């Protein structure tokens, strides 16, 4: 499962404000925590820092969490059908687009089709 983020604007994104809260399709996808969430900078680096141990959380709530701290669920080992949202919060300031291109990053994590 991949999520790509691109800053198409010329302004930087405020420090420590990017939070991705991705709802998994509960009828078809289950979270698989057999591998850590990965962060890959784009060809034009984002300028962000990522630590899978501290910058990833989960939620089993039906409603999408409104903040990173609201993601409080701890997945069980292996495949967990109760994970409804994967919450990702890289730190730092995301660079703005320049003549060289648009900064980007991709986060990747494992899922399984139910």
């Amino acid at each position: 499962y991949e999520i790509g983020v691109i800053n198409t604007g010329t302004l930087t994104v405020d420090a420590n404000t990017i939070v991705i809260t991705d709802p998994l399709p509960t009828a078809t996808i289950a979270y698989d925590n057999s591998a850590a969430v990965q962060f890959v900078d784009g060809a034009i680096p984002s300028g962000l820092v990522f630590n899978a141990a501290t910058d990833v959380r989960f939620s089993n709530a039906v409603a999408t969490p409104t903040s990173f701290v609201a993601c409080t669920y701890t997945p069980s080992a292996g495949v967990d059908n109760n994970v409804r949202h994967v919450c990702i919060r890289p730190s730092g300031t995301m660079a703005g687009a320049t003549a060289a291109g648009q900064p980007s990053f991709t986060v990747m994590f494992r899922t399984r089709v139910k």
Side-chain angles (χ1 to χ4, degrees), residues 8 13 25 33 37 45-46 58 69 73 75-76 82 84 94 109 111 114:
T8 60
V13 177
N33 64 10
V37 174
S46 67
F58 305 90
V69 296
Y73 179 73
S76 59
N82 295 315
R84 295 203 174 185
M94 186 167 183
F109 50 91
T111 59
K114 293 183 187 176

Side-chain angles (χ1 to χ4, degrees), residues 3 20 23-24 35 42 44-45 54 60 66 69 79 91 93 103-104:
I3 300 169
I20 299 165
L24 297 178
I44 306 297
T54 58
N60 63 344
T66 57
V69 296
V79 177
S91 60
T93 301
S104 65

